[in-house]
Amino acid sequence: MWQHLKLSSLGVIDSAELELDSGFTVITGETGAGKTMVVTALGLLRGDRADLGLVRHGAERASVSASITVPEATDVERSVTAAGGELDGDVVVLGRVLSAQGRSRAVAGGATVPAALLTTLTDELLAVHGQSDQHRLLRPAAQRAALDHLAGDALQKVLDEYVPAFTRWKEIETELSALRDHARERAQELEMLKHGLEEVAAVEPVPGEEEELRAEEGRLAHAEALVRAATTAHALLTADDDGTDARTLVASATAALQEAAGHDDGLDDLAGRVREIGILLDEVGADLGSYSAGVEMDPARLSVVQERLAALTSLQRRYGPSLEDVLEWSRVSEARVHSLDHDDDTITALEAERDQLLPSLRDLAERLGEIRRETAGRLAELTEAELAQLSMPSAQLHVEVSTSEELRAHGCDDVELLFAANNGAPPRPLAKGASGGELSRLMLALEVVLADRTSVPTLVFDEVDAGIGGRAAVEVGRRLSRLAEHAQVLAVTHLPQVAAFADHHFHVAKDDDGQVTSSTVRRLPDHERVDELARMLAGQDDSAAAQEHARELLDLAERS
């Protein structure tokens, strides 16, 4: 339920707040006062396109916001949370801000969100019926939806089986089509992959071997230089014949320091460090001798290593850039080859699954058609009864259900509403057989018929009573009041007969000081409703006759 609606600098309305309640609420006011701005505000909260002209002249921005109680059965909380917003208990706050420069911002649960999200959220919270919305009833999908709505659980139970089966059937058909249409491309891909895998298999690369091979290549290619360097260093450290090698010199230094040992701690420490150098020289010299003896000078091995590196480099150019990438490409390609090699098996399996699924899908579609045809007469009968109460006693509604061979998301049925306003007139499609006023009453009649099955908690009617008067207007008010037993109903109306049936009454008043026009919205207490109804009846609220008629209307509504 919509609890609170706030408007600021929107059109002629400078500022207004509406505390909304359950039941039937009407909004009335003189022509041009701005009562439809309330519906415009709801449209903005539904994600409608932002119009720069809606910002009040002289204002920097216009804003609308609403607090709405969220029913448990909706996905509103999940969607708001996913967008970064949050609910206050079971209440979500939606908002829209329009700047005078043409920018707009949408808010849900305190988070800035795309305007399209407001559309998604409010589809579950609000349904608006205006003179422009009547044209939805002309669409085949909307006509089928009305019939399905009346069919209720019986149809929904079959749809719950049909929809997933249809979805899987479509997936199979799409996959089979792709497999058949691109057979040549897949054959070429298979050949290319197999050739690549053969190249990789011929080389048999091993993870990490490239680094080892490059290190070995470096040693083999520079073996002579390595031996020469190690031998020279060994001789300088430990094997000089004239006693000038490093090890002999360090030994002499150690002996000289030993002669003064024990007289000074600092010199003794230095002597110890010189001895350590001698030990280290012995170890390094021995290691250099071993290294020189162990260096391999093998041109044949060098050739083998270089050929192996060339083979790995060739693979990397084709399938790399690194050896790890080559190995990953090989792994993925093997899986792809396995898949392509078994396309025929896949096609056979998919065709078998499709052939098994199709009979049950056809059976479910036939059951959907049977339920729709059974419901069609009931929808026509109930709607005609409502139309008769709306001063259309001769109106006839025919609900035609035709079935095709084509499987679709909702079955194989096409639903069309045919309408005749008078006896003797042939029923015609709504687009050709119903005027704007007749469409208004037909839509209202359908809403009443489907009222106890509606899942939308709030219904808004924007002057759908245009072109209606007298007894028909009374019946419109009575039916809107009846709808309010199942949902929160808001109606913008110019008819006192409709307004009299409201549980709550808001009045939009216009003030023009000659320079600026502004409007205010306020809830009318019961004692002021007579004056407003009198104004709507006679154009003046102080007419005794009009006030008496207004009281009669209120009494009539109270007794209904």
Side-chain angles (χ1 to χ4, degrees):
M1 185 182 79
W2 292 58
Q3 298 179 344
H4 182 85
L5 182 63
K6 183 177 181 180
L7 293 70
S8 177
S9 299
L10 188 69
V12 296
I13 296 180
D14 182 24
S15 178
E17 294 191 43
L18 288 76
E19 296 291 340
L20 301 173
D21 297 299
S22 59
F24 179 24
T25 299
V26 293
I27 301 169
T28 64
E30 294 181 5
T31 301
K35 54 184 179 293
T36 58
M37 275 296 133
V38 176
V39 179
T40 300
L42 293 175
L44 290 171
L45 294 174
R46 293 168 69 205
D48 287 357
R49 185 180 65 84
D51 182 357
L52 178 62
L54 293 175
V55 181
R56 181 173 171 78
H57 180 70
E60 293 185 359
R61 66 182 62 85
S63 66
V64 296
S65 64
S67 300
I68 311 159
T69 303
V70 177
E72 292 182 1
T74 66
D75 292 327
V76 171
E77 181 174 5
R78 178 185 57 78
S79 299
V80 171
T81 303
E86 59 183 17
L87 274 66
D88 182 7
D90 61 349
V91 175
V92 64
V93 177
L94 304 181
R96 193 83 179 272
V97 178
L98 284 66
S99 75
Q101 290 73 38
R103 296 183 300 274
S104 75
R105 183 167 64 94
V107 177
T112 299
V113 300
L117 180 62
L118 295 185
T119 303
T120 301
L121 297 175
T122 54
D123 276 348
E124 299 187 69
L125 302 174
L126 181 75
V128 176
H129 300 290
Q131 295 192 40
S132 61
D133 295 280
Q134 296 164 10
H135 296 289
R136 289 186 306 170
L137 196 57
L138 304 179
R139 300 199 296 265
Q143 297 178 18
R144 176 181 50 76
L147 179 62
D148 288 358
H149 208 92
L150 185 63
D153 292 342
L155 185 84
Q156 190 59 50
K157 184 177 180 180
V158 182
L159 274 174
D160 289 343
E161 293 184 59
Y162 177 86
V163 170
F166 172 80
T167 301
R168 178 54 189 158
W169 176 76
K170 287 292 290 183
E171 290 173 351
I172 292 172
E173 288 292 337
T174 300
E175 192 170 351
L176 282 172
S177 177
L179 287 170
R180 290 168 179 152
D181 292 347
H182 303 287
R184 185 173 182 179
E185 290 88 340
R186 290 197 311 278
Q188 292 174 342
E189 181 187 1
L190 180 61
E191 182 179 354
M192 180 194 71
L193 292 174
K194 285 185 174 180
H195 176 72
L197 288 171
E198 288 172 359
E199 287 188 327
V200 175
V203 176
E204 294 183 352
V206 177
E209 71 168 314
E210 183 184 13
E211 292 77 10
E212 296 176 2
L213 288 170
R214 293 203 180 281
E216 185 179 1
E217 180 193 29
R219 291 193 302 272
L220 291 169
H222 302 87
E224 291 184 5
L226 295 173
V227 170
R228 184 168 55 252
T231 301
T232 301
H234 180 269
L236 291 171
L237 292 177
T238 63
D240 195 272
D241 293 337
D242 60 6
T244 60
D245 59 283
R247 182 64 188 92
T248 300
L249 294 173
V250 171
S252 298
T254 301
L257 291 170
Q258 187 63 33
E259 292 178 0
H263 301 297
D264 181 71
D265 290 342
L267 187 61
D268 289 346
D269 181 61
L270 291 171
R273 291 164 66 185
V274 172
R275 280 194 301 274
E276 291 176 359
I277 292 173
I279 296 170
L280 181 59
L281 286 172
D282 287 339
E283 293 175 352
V284 172
D287 290 343
L288 284 169
S290 298
Y291 177 82
S292 298
V295 172
E296 181 182 10
M297 286 184 277
D298 186 350
R301 175 58 185 167
L302 176 60
S303 178
V304 170
V305 169
Q306 290 176 335
E307 288 177 3
R308 180 67 177 172
L309 284 170
L312 294 177
T313 301
S314 177
L315 290 180
Q316 289 169 333
R317 281 199 301 266
R318 291 181 175 86
Y319 314 111
S322 70
L323 188 58
E324 286 69 23
D325 293 324
V326 172
L327 294 169
E328 176 63 15
W329 177 89
S330 179
R331 185 190 65 79
V332 172
S333 296
E334 284 178 355
R336 178 61 176 160
V337 165
H338 182 272
S339 173
L340 293 171
D341 265 339
H342 291 79
D343 273 355
D344 289 342
D345 294 340
T346 302
I347 290 174
T348 300
L350 288 172
E351 287 176 340
E353 184 181 358
R354 179 200 59 191
D355 293 343
Q356 184 178 11
L357 186 62
L358 198 54
S360 61
L361 196 57
R362 290 281 184 196
D363 179 64
L364 290 169
E366 185 176 342
R367 287 163 58 190
L368 289 173
E370 290 173 355
I371 295 172
R372 286 181 175 125
R373 284 187 288 276
E374 290 171 0
T375 310
R378 186 155 52 100
L379 177 62
E381 181 181 350
L382 293 172
T383 305
E384 287 175 0
E386 289 297 327
L387 288 171
Q389 297 300 317
L390 294 172
S391 297
M392 296 179 69
S394 302
Q396 300 173 48
L397 182 70
H398 293 257
V399 183
E400 288 194 353
V401 180
S402 57
T403 302
S404 68
E405 289 297 315
E406 180 187 1
L407 290 169
R408 284 165 286 178
H410 54 77
C412 296
D413 304 315
D414 291 308
V415 176
E416 184 175 23
L417 302 184
L418 303 176
F419 181 77
N422 302 295
N423 287 325
R428 304 177 68 195
L430 294 186
K432 300 177 180 179
S435 65
E438 289 165 346
L439 270 178
S440 295
R441 280 180 273 185
L442 178 57
M443 186 175 66
L444 180 58
L446 286 170
E447 285 288 0
V448 173
V449 169
L450 303 174
D452 60 349
R453 292 176 172 82
T454 185
S455 59
V456 180
T458 301
L459 302 174
V460 178
F461 294 88
D462 182 18
E463 296 191 356
V464 295
D465 47 20
I468 298 174
R471 180 185 172 192
V474 172
E475 292 302 328
V476 168
R478 182 177 283 117
R479 271 142 185 79
L480 289 174
S481 178
R482 185 187 302 174
L483 278 176
E485 297 173 4
H486 303 277
Q488 182 185 37
V489 176
L490 282 73
V492 175
T493 183
H494 64 282
L495 294 179
Q497 297 94 328
V498 172
F501 281 85
D503 302 305
H504 319 286
H505 194 149
F506 285 91
H507 178 248
V508 182
K510 179 172 64 174
D511 180 42
D512 190 345
D513 61 4
Q515 294 181 330
V516 178
T517 299
S518 62
S519 295
T520 58
V521 183
R522 69 182 185 92
R523 184 195 290 260
L524 294 180
D526 289 344
H527 68 275
E528 291 186 29
R529 292 187 67 193
V530 172
D531 291 341
E532 172 61 7
L533 293 181
R535 180 199 64 76
M536 297 171 73
L537 283 164
Q540 51 187 2
D541 56 12
D542 57 354
S543 165
Q547 288 198 344
E548 181 61 27
H549 190 184
R551 292 188 185 93
E552 290 178 0
L553 284 176
L554 289 171
D555 289 341
L556 173 65
E558 183 70 24
R559 294 194 305 270
S560 296

PDB file of all heavy atoms in Angstrom, residues 47-69:
ATOM      1  N   GLY A  47       9.160   5.293 -13.221  1.00  0.00           N
ATOM      2  CA  GLY A  47      10.259   5.282 -14.177  1.00  0.00           C
ATOM      3  C   GLY A  47       9.949   5.952 -15.492  1.00  0.00           C
ATOM      4  O   GLY A  47      10.703   5.800 -16.455  1.00  0.00           O
ATOM      5  N   ASP A  48       8.827   6.717 -15.572  1.00  0.00           N
ATOM      6  CA  ASP A  48       8.504   7.403 -16.820  1.00  0.00           C
ATOM      7  C   ASP A  48       9.603   8.401 -17.190  1.00  0.00           C
ATOM      8  O   ASP A  48      10.371   8.861 -16.330  1.00  0.00           O
ATOM      9  CB  ASP A  48       7.175   8.159 -16.688  1.00  0.00           C
ATOM     10  CG  ASP A  48       5.979   7.213 -16.676  1.00  0.00           C
ATOM     11  OD1 ASP A  48       6.187   6.002 -16.825  1.00  0.00           O
ATOM     12  OD2 ASP A  48       4.841   7.706 -16.484  1.00  0.00           O
ATOM     13  N   ARG A  49       9.665   8.752 -18.467  1.00  0.00           N
ATOM     14  CA  ARG A  49      10.688   9.678 -18.953  1.00  0.00           C
ATOM     15  C   ARG A  49      10.561  11.034 -18.259  1.00  0.00           C
ATOM     16  O   ARG A  49       9.471  11.573 -18.097  1.00  0.00           O
ATOM     17  CB  ARG A  49      10.542   9.859 -20.467  1.00  0.00           C
ATOM     18  CG  ARG A  49      11.626  10.718 -21.099  1.00  0.00           C
ATOM     19  CD  ARG A  49      11.397  10.837 -22.594  1.00  0.00           C
ATOM     20  NE  ARG A  49      10.172  11.558 -22.887  1.00  0.00           N
ATOM     21  CZ  ARG A  49      10.088  12.886 -22.938  1.00  0.00           C
ATOM     22  NH1 ARG A  49      11.162  13.628 -22.701  1.00  0.00           N
ATOM     23  NH2 ARG A  49       8.946  13.477 -23.225  1.00  0.00           N
ATOM     24  N   ALA A  50      11.715  11.554 -17.843  1.00  0.00           N
ATOM     25  CA  ALA A  50      11.735  12.859 -17.179  1.00  0.00           C
ATOM     26  C   ALA A  50      11.513  13.962 -18.207  1.00  0.00           C
ATOM     27  O   ALA A  50      12.160  13.996 -19.244  1.00  0.00           O
ATOM     28  CB  ALA A  50      13.065  13.055 -16.459  1.00  0.00           C
ATOM     29  N   ASP A  51      10.600  14.879 -17.901  1.00  0.00           N
ATOM     30  CA  ASP A  51      10.270  15.987 -18.805  1.00  0.00           C
ATOM     31  C   ASP A  51      10.670  17.295 -18.130  1.00  0.00           C
ATOM     32  O   ASP A  51      10.206  17.616 -17.025  1.00  0.00           O
ATOM     33  CB  ASP A  51       8.768  15.970 -19.102  1.00  0.00           C
ATOM     34  CG  ASP A  51       8.367  17.062 -20.086  1.00  0.00           C
ATOM     35  OD1 ASP A  51       9.236  17.857 -20.482  1.00  0.00           O
ATOM     36  OD2 ASP A  51       7.174  17.109 -20.447  1.00  0.00           O
ATOM     37  N   LEU A  52      11.562  18.042 -18.783  1.00  0.00           N
ATOM     38  CA  LEU A  52      12.042  19.306 -18.233  1.00  0.00           C
ATOM     39  C   LEU A  52      10.888  20.258 -17.915  1.00  0.00           C
ATOM     40  O   LEU A  52      10.947  21.036 -16.966  1.00  0.00           O
ATOM     41  CB  LEU A  52      13.014  19.956 -19.226  1.00  0.00           C
ATOM     42  CG  LEU A  52      13.594  21.325 -18.863  1.00  0.00           C
ATOM     43  CD1 LEU A  52      14.416  21.220 -17.596  1.00  0.00           C
ATOM     44  CD2 LEU A  52      14.447  21.868 -20.003  1.00  0.00           C
ATOM     45  N   GLY A  53       9.816  20.180 -18.705  1.00  0.00           N
ATOM     46  CA  GLY A  53       8.681  21.061 -18.496  1.00  0.00           C
ATOM     47  C   GLY A  53       7.929  20.819 -17.207  1.00  0.00           C
ATOM     48  O   GLY A  53       7.086  21.629 -16.817  1.00  0.00           O
ATOM     49  N   LEU A  54       8.226  19.713 -16.515  1.00  0.00           N
ATOM     50  CA  LEU A  54       7.536  19.433 -15.251  1.00  0.00           C
ATOM     51  C   LEU A  54       8.104  20.234 -14.089  1.00  0.00           C
ATOM     52  O   LEU A  54       7.461  20.346 -13.045  1.00  0.00           O
ATOM     53  CB  LEU A  54       7.637  17.930 -14.928  1.00  0.00           C
ATOM     54  CG  LEU A  54       6.894  16.979 -15.870  1.00  0.00           C
ATOM     55  CD1 LEU A  54       7.186  15.537 -15.503  1.00  0.00           C
ATOM     56  CD2 LEU A  54       5.388  17.249 -15.809  1.00  0.00           C
ATOM     57  N   VAL A  55       9.318  20.755 -14.249  1.00  0.00           N
ATOM     58  CA  VAL A  55       9.921  21.536 -13.162  1.00  0.00           C
ATOM     59  C   VAL A  55       9.223  22.894 -13.086  1.00  0.00           C
ATOM     60  O   VAL A  55       9.116  23.618 -14.077  1.00  0.00           O
ATOM     61  CB  VAL A  55      11.437  21.731 -13.398  1.00  0.00           C
ATOM     62  CG1 VAL A  55      12.046  22.533 -12.249  1.00  0.00           C
ATOM     63  CG2 VAL A  55      12.129  20.382 -13.526  1.00  0.00           C
ATOM     64  N   ARG A  56       8.754  23.238 -11.914  1.00  0.00           N
ATOM     65  CA  ARG A  56       8.014  24.486 -11.716  1.00  0.00           C
ATOM     66  C   ARG A  56       8.866  25.681 -12.129  1.00  0.00           C
ATOM     67  O   ARG A  56      10.072  25.742 -11.870  1.00  0.00           O
ATOM     68  CB  ARG A  56       7.605  24.593 -10.245  1.00  0.00           C
ATOM     69  CG  ARG A  56       6.800  25.842  -9.912  1.00  0.00           C
ATOM     70  CD  ARG A  56       6.302  25.754  -8.481  1.00  0.00           C
ATOM     71  NE  ARG A  56       5.713  26.998  -8.042  1.00  0.00           N
ATOM     72  CZ  ARG A  56       4.502  27.422  -8.355  1.00  0.00           C
ATOM     73  NH1 ARG A  56       3.746  26.667  -9.129  1.00  0.00           N
ATOM     74  NH2 ARG A  56       4.038  28.569  -7.905  1.00  0.00           N
ATOM     75  N   HIS A  57       8.252  26.646 -12.799  1.00  0.00           N
ATOM     76  CA  HIS A  57       8.966  27.834 -13.283  1.00  0.00           C
ATOM     77  C   HIS A  57       9.657  28.546 -12.115  1.00  0.00           C
ATOM     78  O   HIS A  57       9.039  28.843 -11.093  1.00  0.00           O
ATOM     79  CB  HIS A  57       7.995  28.793 -13.975  1.00  0.00           C
ATOM     80  CG  HIS A  57       8.653  30.033 -14.491  1.00  0.00           C
ATOM     81  ND1 HIS A  57       9.526  30.014 -15.564  1.00  0.00           N
ATOM     82  CD2 HIS A  57       8.596  31.331 -14.062  1.00  0.00           C
ATOM     83  CE1 HIS A  57       9.961  31.240 -15.792  1.00  0.00           C
ATOM     84  NE2 HIS A  57       9.411  32.053 -14.899  1.00  0.00           N
ATOM     85  N   GLY A  58      10.954  28.807 -12.278  1.00  0.00           N
ATOM     86  CA  GLY A  58      11.716  29.498 -11.246  1.00  0.00           C
ATOM     87  C   GLY A  58      12.394  28.573 -10.254  1.00  0.00           C
ATOM     88  O   GLY A  58      13.233  29.024  -9.468  1.00  0.00           O
ATOM     89  N   ALA A  59      12.032  27.279 -10.270  1.00  0.00           N
ATOM     90  CA  ALA A  59      12.647  26.328  -9.338  1.00  0.00           C
ATOM     91  C   ALA A  59      13.864  25.664  -9.982  1.00  0.00           C
ATOM     92  O   ALA A  59      13.941  25.517 -11.200  1.00  0.00           O
ATOM     93  CB  ALA A  59      11.639  25.257  -8.927  1.00  0.00           C
ATOM     94  N   GLU A  60      14.845  25.271  -9.163  1.00  0.00           N
ATOM     95  CA  GLU A  60      16.043  24.597  -9.670  1.00  0.00           C
ATOM     96  C   GLU A  60      15.776  23.124  -9.945  1.00  0.00           C
ATOM     97  O   GLU A  60      16.406  22.526 -10.817  1.00  0.00           O
ATOM     98  CB  GLU A  60      17.186  24.717  -8.665  1.00  0.00           C
ATOM     99  CG  GLU A  60      17.699  26.137  -8.496  1.00  0.00           C
ATOM    100  CD  GLU A  60      18.905  26.188  -7.581  1.00  0.00           C
ATOM    101  OE1 GLU A  60      19.328  25.108  -7.075  1.00  0.00           O
ATOM    102  OE2 GLU A  60      19.432  27.287  -7.347  1.00  0.00           O
ATOM    103  N   ARG A  61      14.823  22.565  -9.179  1.00  0.00           N
ATOM    104  CA  ARG A  61      14.545  21.136  -9.364  1.00  0.00           C
ATOM    105  C   ARG A  61      13.130  20.822  -8.881  1.00  0.00           C
ATOM    106  O   ARG A  61      12.536  21.570  -8.086  1.00  0.00           O
ATOM    107  CB  ARG A  61      15.555  20.276  -8.599  1.00  0.00           C
ATOM    108  CG  ARG A  61      15.474  20.396  -7.099  1.00  0.00           C
ATOM    109  CD  ARG A  61      16.529  19.553  -6.396  1.00  0.00           C
ATOM    110  NE  ARG A  61      17.869  19.973  -6.752  1.00  0.00           N
ATOM    111  CZ  ARG A  61      18.517  20.967  -6.138  1.00  0.00           C
ATOM    112  NH1 ARG A  61      17.920  21.654  -5.176  1.00  0.00           N
ATOM    113  NH2 ARG A  61      19.740  21.282  -6.499  1.00  0.00           N
ATOM    114  N   ALA A  62      12.618  19.712  -9.375  1.00  0.00           N
ATOM    115  CA  ALA A  62      11.351  19.156  -8.888  1.00  0.00           C
ATOM    116  C   ALA A  62      11.646  17.796  -8.288  1.00  0.00           C
ATOM    117  O   ALA A  62      12.569  17.096  -8.722  1.00  0.00           O
ATOM    118  CB  ALA A  62      10.345  19.031 -10.023  1.00  0.00           C
ATOM    119  N   SER A  63      10.880  17.406  -7.291  1.00  0.00           N
ATOM    120  CA  SER A  63      11.103  16.095  -6.678  1.00  0.00           C
ATOM    121  C   SER A  63       9.777  15.470  -6.264  1.00  0.00           C
ATOM    122  O   SER A  63       8.816  16.169  -5.935  1.00  0.00           O
ATOM    123  CB  SER A  63      12.028  16.210  -5.460  1.00  0.00           C
ATOM    124  OG  SER A  63      11.409  16.958  -4.427  1.00  0.00           O
ATOM    125  N   VAL A  64       9.753  14.151  -6.314  1.00  0.00           N
ATOM    126  CA  VAL A  64       8.613  13.383  -5.805  1.00  0.00           C
ATOM    127  C   VAL A  64       9.183  12.210  -5.015  1.00  0.00           C
ATOM    128  O   VAL A  64      10.242  11.680  -5.338  1.00  0.00           O
ATOM    129  CB  VAL A  64       7.690  12.871  -6.936  1.00  0.00           C
ATOM    130  CG1 VAL A  64       7.055  14.027  -7.670  1.00  0.00           C
ATOM    131  CG2 VAL A  64       8.447  12.002  -7.908  1.00  0.00           C
ATOM    132  N   SER A  65       8.479  11.808  -3.978  1.00  0.00           N
ATOM    133  CA  SER A  65       8.892  10.636  -3.199  1.00  0.00           C
ATOM    134  C   SER A  65       7.657   9.970  -2.626  1.00  0.00           C
ATOM    135  O   SER A  65       6.602  10.604  -2.472  1.00  0.00           O
ATOM    136  CB  SER A  65       9.858  11.027  -2.079  1.00  0.00           C
ATOM    137  OG  SER A  65       9.235  11.875  -1.137  1.00  0.00           O
ATOM    138  N   ALA A  66       7.804   8.697  -2.323  1.00  0.00           N
ATOM    139  CA  ALA A  66       6.681   7.946  -1.773  1.00  0.00           C
ATOM    140  C   ALA A  66       7.187   6.877  -0.828  1.00  0.00           C
ATOM    141  O   ALA A  66       8.251   6.277  -1.050  1.00  0.00           O
ATOM    142  CB  ALA A  66       5.858   7.307  -2.892  1.00  0.00           C
ATOM    143  N   SER A  67       6.424   6.647   0.237  1.00  0.00           N
ATOM    144  CA  SER A  67       6.678   5.534   1.158  1.00  0.00           C
ATOM    145  C   SER A  67       5.631   4.464   0.882  1.00  0.00           C
ATOM    146  O   SER A  67       4.428   4.753   0.857  1.00  0.00           O
ATOM    147  CB  SER A  67       6.579   6.000   2.609  1.00  0.00           C
ATOM    148  OG  SER A  67       7.526   7.019   2.869  1.00  0.00           O
ATOM    149  N   ILE A  68       6.098   3.246   0.681  1.00  0.00           N
ATOM    150  CA  ILE A  68       5.202   2.182   0.232  1.00  0.00           C
ATOM    151  C   ILE A  68       5.422   0.938   1.091  1.00  0.00           C
ATOM    152  O   ILE A  68       6.568   0.490   1.276  1.00  0.00           O
ATOM    153  CB  ILE A  68       5.459   1.819  -1.243  1.00  0.00           C
ATOM    154  CG1 ILE A  68       5.493   3.089  -2.100  1.00  0.00           C
ATOM    155  CG2 ILE A  68       4.426   0.838  -1.755  1.00  0.00           C
ATOM    156  CD1 ILE A  68       6.209   2.916  -3.409  1.00  0.00           C
ATOM    157  N   THR A  69       4.346   0.380   1.593  1.00  0.00           N
ATOM    158  CA  THR A  69       4.421  -0.904   2.287  1.00  0.00           C
ATOM    159  C   THR A  69       4.563  -2.006   1.252  1.00  0.00           C
ATOM    160  O   THR A  69       3.782  -2.096   0.310  1.00  0.00           O
ATOM    161  CB  THR A  69       3.158  -1.150   3.127  1.00  0.00           C
ATOM    162  OG1 THR A  69       2.988  -0.066   4.046  1.00  0.00           O
ATOM    163  CG2 THR A  69       3.276  -2.458   3.899  1.00  0.00           C
TER     164      THR A  69
END
